Amino acid sequence: MTVPLSTSLERTYRYLRIGLAGTVVVIFVAVGLAAAGPTLPEAPLDAPAASGGAAGGVGWLSSVSDYFYTPARNAFVGALIAAALALFALSGRGAERGLLDAAALFAPLIAVVPTPVAAGSVPGVVASCTQRCFPAEYEPDAANGVGTYLVVGTITVLVAVLLAALRQVSLAAIRFSLVVAVVVLVSVGLTWAFARSTFLEYGHFVATVAFFALFAAVAVRSAFPRRTVPPERVYRVLYTAIAVGLALVLVAYILLLALADPHGIPVVLIIETAALVLFFAFWVVQGVEKWNDPDPTLR
C-alpha cells in the first residue's frame, strides 16, 4: 500500500494538533499516577484528611489543579507550557489565529500560578483557611513563574514588532494578537505589583476561565467561518457541540468553585475533567477534518 505524499507544512500542522490532544493525555496520566502512586507526607495533625485518599497515593483531590501540589506537578506544568507553544505555532485562519494566540497567553498562567487550596485538602500542603486560600510556602514559586512569564512575554511582543517592522510578518495579521498580549501582560504586571494577594487568590481561576472561554469561541469560529468554505455538516455539529459543552462547563465551574465542599464530592474535578475532554475532542475533530488540508496556513 502506497502512503500518500505530504509536505513538511502539512506534517507540522498534523503533529501540532496531535500534540495538543496529547497534552490532555499527559495531564490525565500524571493525575492518575499521583492519585494511586507513592503516599505523600501526612498533613498536620490538626488538619482534616484529604477526601478520597487512598493508601497508595493522594487519591482523588477536589480539582485537577490541586494536583499541582503532588508528584504530578512537573507533568502538569510541562503539558500546559507545551500547549502554549503549540497554540502560538498553530496559526489559524482570520480571527481563529487571534483567539488561539490569546489562549496561548493564558495557558502558562494556569501552570505557574497554583490554585488556592483548603486546609487538609492536599496531603502535605499547609493552608490556613477552611475553604480555599493560597499556601504561603508556594509564593516564591509563583513569583519566579510570573516574573519569567512577564519577561518572556515582553520579549515575544518585541520580537513580533521587530518582525513586522522588517516586513517579515504582516502587522495587520498580528495586530489583534499584539493588542491582547500587551493588555494581558500589563494587567498581570500591575496586579502582581500592587495587588499580589488578590492575584494569588484569583489568578489561576481567571486564567482557566479565559482559556476555555477562548476555546469555546474557537470552536464556534471553526463551525461557522466567515471568509472560508464552511466545514461539512458533521464537523459543524461536532464543533457546535464542543462549544456548547465548554460554555456549560464554564458556567458550572464559575458557580460551583466557591460553593463546592473541598472535602466532599469532587465536583470541580469532574467539571475540569469535562473541560479537558472537550479540549481533547476539539483537536481530534480538527485533526481529522484538516488532515489533508493542502494549505493550513493563515490566508
Side-chain angles (χ1 to χ4, degrees):
M1 180 178 178
T2 303
V3 178
L5 295 177
S6 60
T7 66
S8 59
L9 184 62
E10 288 177 309
R11 291 193 299 274
T12 297
Y13 274 72
R14 290 173 183 175
Y15 299 158
L16 284 171
R17 293 188 179 103
I18 292 172
L20 281 162
T23 60
V24 178
V25 177
V26 171
I27 292 173
F28 283 166
V29 170
V31 167
L33 291 176
T39 304
L40 292 179
E42 293 294 332
L45 295 176
D46 58 346
S51 62
V58 299
W60 299 116
L61 303 180
S62 60
S63 75
V64 172
S65 299
D66 284 358
Y67 286 91
F68 174 92
Y69 301 102
T70 74
R73 173 179 180 175
N74 290 343
F76 178 81
V77 173
L80 288 168
I81 298 299
L85 292 173
L87 290 171
F88 273 126
L90 191 65
S91 296
R93 289 189 173 101
E96 184 182 3
R97 176 176 187 168
L99 293 171
L100 290 175
D101 288 348
L105 288 167
F106 289 103
L109 287 176
I110 300 173
V112 302
V113 183
T115 182
V117 295
S121 62
V122 181
V125 178
V126 179
S128 59
C129 52
T130 56
Q131 289 301 314
R132 283 184 173 270
C133 58
F134 192 88
E137 62 184 299
Y138 286 90
E139 186 170 334
D141 292 5
N144 183 279
V146 172
T148 302
Y149 174 85
L150 291 172
V151 172
V152 175
T154 301
I155 292 173
T156 302
V157 169
L158 293 176
V159 169
V161 172
L162 176 62
L163 291 174
L166 296 174
R167 297 186 178 180
Q168 299 302 305
V169 297
S170 169
L171 180 60
I174 64 172
R175 184 180 292 116
F176 175 80
S177 297
L178 284 175
V179 171
V180 172
V182 171
V183 170
V184 171
L185 290 171
V186 170
S187 299
V188 169
L190 291 177
T191 309
W192 180 257
F194 300 106
R196 183 167 299 189
S197 60
T198 301
F199 184 93
L200 293 173
E201 196 74 19
Y202 298 104
H204 184 90
F205 169 77
V206 172
T208 301
V209 171
F211 180 82
F212 286 109
L214 286 165
F215 252 89
V218 171
V220 172
R221 173 65 76 171
S222 298
F224 305 102
R226 289 186 178 180
R227 298 182 181 179
T228 58
V229 179
E232 297 178 14
R233 181 175 181 181
V234 62
Y235 296 115
R236 292 201 304 271
V237 171
L238 290 172
Y239 285 135
T240 302
I242 291 170
V244 172
L246 282 171
L248 294 175
V249 163
L250 282 174
V251 171
Y253 180 71
I254 294 170
L255 294 177
L256 296 178
L257 184 63
L259 301 176
D261 181 1
H263 307 292
I265 298 174
V267 291
V268 176
L269 173 67
I270 297 171
I271 292 170
E272 290 178 340
T273 299
L276 288 170
V277 169
L278 290 168
F279 179 83
F280 175 87
F282 174 86
W283 293 112
V284 171
V285 172
Q286 191 176 85
V288 173
E289 180 204 359
K290 299 182 181 296
W291 186 262
N292 293 315
D293 192 339
D295 182 16
T297 60
L298 173 68
R299 296 186 186 281

